[in-house]
Amino acid sequence: MKMFELIKDHIKDIKKIVFVTGAGISQESGIPTFRGKDGLWRNYDAMKLATIGAFYDNPKLVWEWYNERRKNIFGALPNLGHKAIAELEKFADVVVLTQNIDGLHQKAGSSEVLELHGSIIKIKCSVCNFKDEIMTEFSEIPPLCKCGNILRPDVVWFGESLPQDIWQKAIVFASQCDLMIIAGTSLVVSPANTLPIYAKQNNAVLIEINPENTEMSSEMDLVIRNTSATTLPKFVSMFKEN
Ligand code: BV8
Ligand code: ZN
């Protein structure tokens, strides 16, 4: 496997692996990405719907969008890409920094997952500090909090800052890894798209797994133009052989 020549020689000293993942890693689990036709819901641009403005303009519509995504996600299973990342924990310290709100990394067995943009099973009050998890659909939407204000999905919308405790931890993990594998993300959205820079500053090996070019392909040590479910199991076999 020529493409792995690069890390084959380093493999012994790869102790800390950090994965930065996006919608592409769940694409083979039947979850649409944010790009192109996938990024449209009822002809609404996902990037426009995932904003506090859209929520206050039409909370019912935004709830319907998240309810539909939640139903789709609850019916989805982790794919070979998610499973390979979980299995690599046998060979090194593995941390997953994901932009996905679908929880499939955890479902695949990954033990250290930081959800940079929140989770589709979490909700919070738009005013008071009430937080909870939802397992079943709300009868009426938008659902109200006991304080009388409307509840919202506990995800990070555009224009909103990431949970600082999680973001600071993500920067530390990225700054201390030996190998960073960037799988299934276009690296368009900030600040998540700055994580490879922290790893590069630590002279980590940067590998990109994506059928298409991304914002930072030129910064990578190795680019694998293939899907994550096809490629990531090959990393497991490489570690097994060594
Ligand atoms: C913030 C949660 C401080 C909700 C999400 C102007 C210029 C630059 C930046 C900005 C700007 N204006 C505003 C900003 C900042 C903005 C931003 O980055 N905007 C972008 C659009 C330019 N960022 C923010 O607002 C962030 N907050 O900065 O706070 C602040 C505050 C006030 C004002 C300024 C700054 C908050 C960002 C988080 C938003 N929430 N999601 C939800 O999911 O509903 S973002 C959401 O979209 C996802 O979480 C993800 O992050 C992003 C989509 O990106 P990807 O996951 O990469 O998916 P995408 O579809 O793009 O690509 C898929 C890739 O997979 C493709 O490359 C494809 O080729 C590949 N692929 C497909 N199939 C496969 C595959 N790869 C492998 N295998 C396959 N099978
Ligand atoms: Zn409340």
Side-chain angles (χ1 to χ4, degrees), residues 228-242:
S228 44
T230 308
T231 308
L232 288 166
K234 296 189 178 127
F235 279 84
V236 174
S237 22
M238 186 184 54
F239 273 90
K240 271 192 182 136
E241 279 145 26
N242 276 280

Side-chain angles (χ1 to χ4, degrees), residues 4-21:
F4 287 129
E5 290 325 308
L6 167 83
I7 44 179
K8 246 199 174 59
D9 326 342
H10 295 65
I11 207 156
K12 283 208 186 355
D13 24 324
I14 289 176
K15 299 282 172 287
K16 293 184 177 183
I17 305 176
V18 166
F19 283 88
V20 174
T21 68

Side-chain angles (χ1 to χ4, degrees), residues 196-197 200 206 215-222:
I197 299 165
K200 199 151 184 104
L206 294 186
E215 301 288 312
M216 293 183 75
S217 295
S218 55
E219 308 288 318
M220 302 295 163
D221 300 296
L222 175 64

Side-chain angles (χ1 to χ4, degrees), residues 94-151:
V94 176
V95 172
V96 180
L97 308 177
T98 189
Q99 299 164 78
N100 301 342
I101 63 175
D102 58 31
L104 289 181
H105 284 297
Q106 298 93 321
K107 231 179 190 173
S110 283
S111 58
E112 183 75 52
V113 180
L114 295 187
E115 296 177 307
L116 305 173
H117 297 162
S119 165
I120 199 150
I121 62 170
K122 293 191 177 131
I123 54 170
K124 64 182 180 182
C125 178
S126 50
V127 175
C128 77
N129 55 15
F130 170 79
K131 281 183 181 275
D132 195 356
E133 293 202 352
I134 50 175
M135 293 321 206
T136 57
E137 290 266 334
F138 280 97
S139 49
E140 52 148 311
I141 55 174
L144 297 183
C145 173
K146 61 186 181 316
C147 76
N149 291 291
I150 48 177
L151 293 173

Side-chain angles (χ1 to χ4, degrees), residues 7-53:
I7 44 179
K8 246 199 174 59
D9 326 342
H10 295 65
I11 207 156
K12 283 208 186 355
D13 24 324
I14 289 176
K15 299 282 172 287
K16 293 184 177 183
I17 305 176
V18 166
F19 283 88
V20 174
T21 68
I25 200 163
S26 295
Q27 185 266 336
E28 292 157 290
S29 293
I31 298 177
T33 67
F34 282 70
R35 315 261 77 210
K37 66 175 186 6
D38 265 11
L40 284 182
W41 178 75
R42 294 188 196 166
N43 292 334
Y44 289 97
D45 173 352
M47 304 291 230
K48 298 229 175 2
L49 271 178
T51 62
I52 192 73

